[in-house]
Amino acid sequence: MTKLTAASDVRFRRADDRGVEWMIAVGPVSYPDAVVTMEARAAAIAAGEAAELVWLLEHPPLYTAGVSAKPGDLIDPDRFPVFKSGRGGQFTYHGPGQRVAYVMLDLRERGRDARAFVSALEAWVIQTLARVGVVGEIRCGRVGVWVSRPVGEQEDKIAAIGVKLRRWVSFHGVSINVTPNLSHFEGIVPCGISDMGVTSLEQLGANVSMAEVDQALAESFENVFGPVLPVVAPRAP
């Protein structure tokens, strides 16, 4: 499989370079509550009634099924709650120790290019990982970000990407494994790929806190997407 890295000069900015609101949730957020909040904010953005937003959070342990999920990839349906999701992709896990970033951007102001948007998300994650000492890569034909292991040809997924567009406004987003319980992924075939593993920053020896990951996310986001405007939590999006 060809190894690729996202170009460091990827940009997906607004012409006016207006700032994007940036909010970090305090405490775990239930998946249904997150979806309701995202959909309301995306609708408000589309109507010109709200600013773009990136919302960082953690979920309690759960599985989500994207629009391409295959029933056979849910190995242990009784392990955690399972939610159908309108995002792209297949089954994924969310839980404590994983940084989820929900990205609500107005692509009408950013070129109306869904493929370029996904590439920009990949670049954002890869640049974030680089700031904490981890080399992330992308793969032809596979969405997400991967790391090569030092032994043989093994490679593992460290970040998932699954987005939805409605009226050219995005929601859902990316998740990076910081310090999750990796055994929780065993209840599914993550993203429908059975012959690859899943890893975390902790497993790779990157001794970083969630706050440090958040800082790296903010700095890298500004490089790819434009300025961020911190919002005091826990104001609802």
Side-chain angles (χ1 to χ4, degrees), residues 2 5 18-19 23 28 47 51 54 62 76 80-81 84 90 108 111 125 133 151 224 229:
T2 302
T5 55
R18 186 183 305 170
M23 192 173 70
V54 173
L62 57 92
D76 188 353
F80 298 124
K84 290 185 178 181
Q90 302 186 45
R108 297 171 301 184
V125 172
V151 179
V224 176
L229 304 172

Side-chain angles (χ1 to χ4, degrees), residues 27-202:
V29 178
S30 77
Y31 189 76
D33 286 348
V35 171
V36 168
T37 300
M38 281 191 290
E39 291 189 342
R41 183 59 174 250
I45 293 169
E49 299 169 352
E52 296 174 308
L53 173 71
V54 173
W55 186 22
L56 305 185
L57 55 81
E58 292 176 83
H59 286 304
L62 57 92
Y63 298 127
T64 67
V67 295
S68 300
K70 301 174 183 177
D73 286 345
L74 181 59
I75 299 170
D76 188 353
D78 299 321
R79 188 167 190 173
F80 298 124
V82 181
F83 298 95
K84 290 185 178 181
S85 173
R87 62 162 173 80
Q90 302 186 45
F91 278 104
T92 194
Y93 164 77
H94 294 311
Q98 182 189 71
R99 177 50 88 212
V100 176
Y102 287 136
V103 182
M104 287 150 272
L105 299 183
D106 189 347
L107 271 63
R108 297 171 301 184
E109 302 294 333
R110 297 173 182 268
R112 296 178 185 256
D113 189 331
R115 187 181 298 273
F117 175 51
V118 172
S119 295
L121 292 174
E122 292 172 335
W124 175 34
V125 172
I126 287 172
Q127 291 180 31
T128 297
L129 296 176
R131 290 178 187 273
V132 298
V134 171
V135 177
E137 300 167 338
I138 57 177
R139 298 289 185 266
C140 293
R142 293 194 235 142
V143 176
V145 178
W146 305 77
V147 294
S148 296
R149 305 289 281 193
V151 179
E153 296 297 320
Q154 183 179 350
E155 58 185 14
D156 295 320
K157 193 169 193 176
I158 194 166
I161 297 174
V163 294
K164 182 176 178 64
L165 299 179
R166 182 177 294 160
R167 296 172 61 189
W168 284 104
V169 175
S170 68
F171 53 110
H172 297 282
V174 308
S175 60
I176 300 176
N177 298 329
V178 183
T179 61
N181 184 337
L182 293 176
S183 70
H184 290 178
F185 285 89
E186 295 171 3
I188 57 172
V189 177
C191 302
I193 300 173
S194 60
D195 56 347
M196 303 293 175
V198 177
T199 192
S200 66
L201 293 176
E202 180 181 49

